[in-house]
Amino acid sequence: MKKIGVLTSGGDAPGMNAAIRAVVRYGCEHDMEVYGILRGYNGLMQGDMYQMNLRSVSNIINRGGTILYSARSEEFKTEAGMQKAIAVCKEVGLDGIVVIGGDGSFKGARDLSLRGIPCIGVPGTIDNDIGCCDYTIGYDTAMNTVREMVDRLRDTTESHDRCSVVEVMGRKAGYIALYAGIACGATTILIPELEYDLQRDVIDRMRKTQKTGKKHFIIVVAEGIGKVDEMAKKIQDYTGVETRATVLGHVQRGGTPTVRDRVNASLMGARAVQLLQEGKSNRVVAMKKDDIVDYDIFDALNMTKTLDIDLYQIAHDISI
Ligand code: ATP
């Protein structure tokens, strides 16, 4: 391995910069030329990249977003797009690429690996929705951001005896909603993995806690459930409690990465370069409990993980 590339793809996540930094520094320290590819697979197809050095990644470990920018590319999914990317890799002489992104980005890495460009995936997505990983880069920061935002909402919700329905990210995965919901003392948490009934899970629970003297309520709802405005209106109509909906949206994507995100991203970035150094291809770096492991991308994409339903039950029991 003499020349490697690094790119970020899909949704940005806090900690991606720490991973880029680790790839660049580890690569440079091991006599490699490291190229930063801009805007994910778009930049790869267009040859939009520059050689990085130790100082190119100074002062970024503390920054959210990604200094390499990120993008989604439909063209790259086509054979013509893929061939364009491969031609660029050959022209520049890239011996391998580290792809930091979610499972969509890993599919791109798998397809490139299959066509002779060794790729290693590093999980960067706030949703923590990658089957082979217990933890993804950005998830910890996103949860802490939600925690801070909901704590703020709680202050005003409590002061006015209101109910706040808060939508947090997670289209198909309720990890952010469940963990941040527990941390914020939500009365009810609604996640896409579990069916819910507004009357039973929200309104009846609110009424039950009202009888014990509770006057303000936080309902955390994952994005995949949606319809929070409609939900807030129904809650207000049925309970008589003034109810507001808040969609946190993209604030959850940004911000200073937490210690956990910085450390794990650094370790995983360095591990990705080690794998390329060892001549490996088509692998995903993952965290299982506190260990850094790696899997074949084909296997990784077929792995599933399930949310801890016991945890959900406990959250339910103690939030009353
Ligand atoms: P996030 O979890 O933040 O959404 P992601 O990596 O899953 O991140 P996607 O939009 O699914 O985000 O994928 C990012 C890019 O990866 C796509 O725009 C596309 O260029 C590439 N990609 C996705 N799926 C495939 C596929 N099946 N084959 C080849 N490339 C793919």
Side-chain angles (χ1 to χ4, degrees):
M1 277 294 146
K2 281 283 169 236
K3 227 184 234 191
I4 64 168
V6 55
L7 61 83
T8 46
S9 167
D12 64 307
M16 278 183 163
N17 279 328
I20 295 167
R21 174 178 175 272
V23 169
V24 173
R25 293 256 169 97
Y26 194 92
C28 289
E29 278 301 280
H30 290 83
D31 303 322
M32 296 177 192
E33 286 178 30
V34 185
Y35 283 75
I37 301 160
L38 298 174
R39 297 182 177 81
Y41 293 122
N42 268 335
L44 187 62
M45 286 184 299
Q46 287 153 18
D48 194 5
M49 60 183 81
Y50 65 102
Q51 189 174 349
M52 301 180 89
N53 59 41
L54 295 173
R55 297 279 69 77
S56 318
V57 288
S58 296
N59 294 324
I60 67 165
I61 196 164
N62 51 321
R63 284 166 56 191
T66 156
I67 61 160
L68 294 178
Y69 307 99
S70 191
R72 301 185 202 270
S73 166
E74 282 306 310
E75 187 188 353
F76 178 74
K77 289 189 192 173
T78 64
E79 190 53 39
M82 187 68 56
Q83 289 308 326
K84 244 185 183 177
I86 289 168
V88 168
C89 291
K90 291 196 171 141
E91 196 186 318
V92 179
L94 289 181
D95 300 309
I97 301 177
V98 177
V99 173
I100 306 166
D103 50 9
S105 304
F106 293 167
K107 287 178 190 159
R110 170 202 62 195
D111 293 352
L112 278 173
S113 299
L114 272 177
R115 290 163 177 79
I117 311 293
C119 288
I120 306 291
V122 172
T125 170
I126 63 166
D127 290 340
N128 197 30
D129 60 351
I130 298 183
C132 67
C133 310
D134 287 347
Y135 157 92
T136 58
I137 296 168
Y139 170 55
D140 191 56
T141 306
M143 278 192 301
N144 278 289
T145 303
V146 172
R147 193 267 311 141
E148 185 185 343
M149 296 297 146
V150 178
D151 282 352
R152 286 170 189 238
L153 268 175
R154 177 186 279 278
D155 290 345
T156 177
T157 301
E158 183 184 12
S159 302
H160 291 269
D161 293 336
R162 281 186 189 140
C163 171
S164 273
V165 179
V166 192
E167 182 187 298
V168 305
M169 279 201 165
R171 277 191 303 267
K172 292 192 185 133
Y175 290 96
I176 294 178
L178 178 58
Y179 282 81
I182 292 172
C184 296
T187 304
T188 293
I189 302 165
L190 302 179
I191 53 175
E193 290 87 345
L194 289 176
E195 285 198 6
Y196 77 99
D197 179 86
L198 189 70
Q199 184 69 41
R200 181 195 63 207
D201 299 319
V202 182
I203 293 162
D204 290 350
R205 280 178 66 74
M206 283 176 65
R207 288 215 174 105
K208 193 172 164 195
T209 56
Q210 273 176 318
K211 285 187 191 141
T212 66
K214 192 171 172 71
K215 290 192 170 53
H216 69 279
F217 307 87
I218 305 280
I219 314 293
V220 171
V221 180
E223 187 186 2
I225 301 276
K227 297 186 189 144
V228 282
D229 285 316
E230 207 178 292
M231 198 182 284
K233 187 170 179 323
K234 280 190 185 154
I235 292 170
Q236 180 163 307
D237 290 347
Y238 283 109
T239 63
V241 177
E242 191 182 347
T243 304
R244 302 272 172 94
T246 304
V247 177
L248 293 186
H250 280 165
V251 303
Q252 296 161 90
R253 283 254 184 97
T256 303
T258 58
V259 169
R260 186 174 180 210
D261 275 332
R262 295 182 199 197
V263 172
N264 288 346
S266 299
L267 299 178
M268 289 200 275
R271 181 75 191 120
V273 182
Q274 282 171 353
L275 289 171
L276 285 175
Q277 232 181 352
E278 290 162 13
K280 305 261 174 68
S281 172
N282 198 42
R283 309 287 297 174
V284 172
V285 180
M287 293 213 62
K288 278 280 158 195
K289 300 205 186 303
D290 286 332
D291 295 329
I292 293 183
V293 295
D294 57 277
Y295 298 106
D296 178 274
I297 298 186
F298 283 103
D299 297 340
L301 288 172
N302 285 325
M303 289 182 194
T304 51
K305 65 177 179 185
T306 46
L307 201 90
D308 189 343
I309 300 301
D310 290 345
L311 198 67
Y312 186 85
Q313 190 54 47
I314 290 171
H316 192 267
D317 290 345
I318 63 175
S319 64
I320 201 80

